[in-house]
Amino acid sequence: MSKIPKSHPRYHSLMTRELISEAMKQGIVHETGLIAHGRGEAFDYLIGETTIPEADVAEKIAAAALLCAKNPVISINGNVTALTADECISLAKSIPAKLEVNLFHRTPERVKKIAALFRKKGVKTLYGVHPDARIPGLDSDRALCEKIGIFTADVVLVPLEDGDRCQALQRMGKTVIAIDLNPLSRTAQTATITIVDNVTRAIPQIEHWVYQLKETTPAYRQKLVATWDNSKNLEKVMGFLSKRLNSLS
Ligand code: PTJ
C-alpha cells in the first residue's frame, strides 16, 4: 500500500482508496468496483462524509428488521469484503445472521479468494460458495445463491447492490435493506429500507442499533418496521442534499 501521511486532510478517504485498490490487485474487488467506489465517494462528499439523521433512522429500522427476521442474510461482494469484512462478521454475530457471497462479476477465483479471506477471519460457513438455487428473473450470475441462504431468506441486507437483484429479491417477497450512497439509484429507489450512507459507517451503526433494540420488545421492533415509509425518508434525504448544496453555494 502507498504510504499516506496521517496529517493529510483526506487521510481517511485516501486510505479507503488504498484498501479498494489493494483488494483489486489481490483479485477480490472487480476492476469496475473501483468505478463504483468513485461514484460512492462523490455522493459521500455531497452528504458531508457523515451519517446524516435520515441514514441513522434507516439504520435503526434495518436493525429492527434484521432482529425480526427468521432467516436474515448479509450479502457480500468484492467492495464489501475490501472495506467492511470485519464489520460484517461482527454484525452477523450480533443478530445472528448468515453471510453469503454474491458477486455480479462472478468467477470461481474471486469466490475462492473471498471465501478464504472470511475463513481466515474465523467464519466457518460463508454461504453462496456452492450455489444450488437461482433468484428468478435474473440473467446475470447475481442470480446464483444458496437455498438455505438468500433463496429462502426473509430479510436480505445488500450493501453496494445493482438495481436488478434488488428488484428481483423484492419480487420474491423479501425485505431488502440496501446501503447505497446514491439516493437516485434503482437500488435506493426500490429497496424496502434504503440507507444512504457509506458502508463503512452504516454496518457498525446497524450493529449499534441491534444492541440498543435487543433491549426492546419484539412487538416494538415489529411496529418500527411495519410503520416505515421508505419513500418519505428518501424525500427527506433529497431535501437534506438540496439544502446542503444551497447552503454551500
Ligand atoms: O464484487 P461484484 O462483482 O459483486 O461487483 C460489485 C460492484 C460494486 C462493482 C457492482 O455491484 C456494481 O457495479 O455496482 P454499481 O451498479 O456500480 O452500484 C454500486 C452503488 O454503490 C453505486 O450507487 C455507488 O454510489 C454505491 N457505493 C459505492 N461505494 C459505496 C457505495 N455505497 C455505500 N458505501 C460505499 N462505500
Side-chain angles (χ1 to χ4, degrees):
M1 288 219 294
S2 316
K3 202 158 164 40
I4 312 283
K6 275 218 161 110
S7 56
H8 194 290
R10 303 286 309 152
Y11 176 78
H12 185 71
S13 170
L14 294 179
M15 283 307 291
T16 311
R17 274 190 190 176
E18 286 297 316
L19 281 180
I20 284 278
S21 151
E22 269 306 309
M24 195 209 75
K25 287 176 202 153
Q26 289 165 14
I28 286 172
V29 166
H30 187 261
E31 63 222 45
T32 60
L34 301 185
I35 300 167
H37 183 75
R39 190 186 321 163
E41 271 190 345
F43 278 101
D44 208 8
Y45 217 86
L46 292 180
I47 63 167
E49 295 174 312
T50 186
T51 299
I52 62 174
E54 292 75 12
D56 190 41
V57 70
E59 282 150 3
K60 179 179 177 182
I61 306 300
L66 288 162
L67 284 172
C68 290
K70 287 195 180 74
N71 185 19
V73 177
I74 302 172
S75 184
I76 301 293
N77 66 16
N79 290 43
V80 171
T81 303
L83 298 181
T84 55
D86 291 332
E87 291 78 359
C88 284
I89 294 168
S90 180
L91 174 63
K93 275 189 194 146
S94 73
I95 297 165
K98 291 171 182 159
L99 294 161
E100 177 161 340
V101 60
N102 180 278
L103 303 179
F104 184 71
H105 306 280
R106 189 181 178 106
T107 62
E109 292 74 31
R110 282 188 72 215
V111 172
K112 223 188 255 170
K113 282 178 181 168
I114 292 171
L117 185 141
F118 275 87
R119 209 177 311 115
K120 213 168 148 193
K121 289 180 179 292
V123 173
K124 290 206 175 77
T125 312
L126 180 68
Y127 294 84
V129 175
H130 304 291
D132 55 3
R134 285 191 75 91
I135 299 166
L138 269 190
D139 294 330
S140 73
D141 282 347
R142 266 244 195 263
L144 294 169
C145 62
E146 212 162 308
K147 249 183 218 149
I148 58 168
I150 286 175
F151 193 75
T152 53
D154 49 351
V155 177
V156 189
L157 171 61
V158 290
L160 268 83
E161 179 66 359
D162 66 286
D164 279 1
R165 189 173 66 131
C166 185
Q167 282 171 317
L169 291 171
Q170 291 265 16
R171 282 197 300 271
M172 290 175 85
K174 300 179 193 301
T175 296
V176 183
I177 304 164
I179 303 172
D180 194 330
L181 278 160
N182 176 6
L184 301 170
S185 76
R186 254 179 331 133
T187 301
Q189 294 289 328
T190 53
T192 325
I193 302 163
T194 305
I195 299 168
V196 181
D197 201 0
N198 198 309
V199 72
T200 56
R201 297 187 297 268
I203 300 283
Q205 190 60 7
I206 298 172
E207 185 177 337
H208 160 81
W209 280 116
V210 163
Y211 286 114
Q212 298 288 313
L213 290 173
K214 273 187 173 179
E215 304 297 320
T216 66
T217 62
Y220 174 77
R221 300 192 287 258
Q222 276 154 14
K223 195 170 168 205
L224 281 181
V225 179
T227 54
W228 174 247
D229 187 338
N230 203 51
S231 312
K232 188 116 182 227
N233 199 56
L234 275 173
E235 259 173 46
K236 286 187 188 164
V237 171
M238 295 309 291
F240 175 93
L241 266 176
S242 49
K243 245 197 225 155
R244 184 170 144 79
L245 287 176
N246 273 327
S247 76
L248 294 173
S249 60

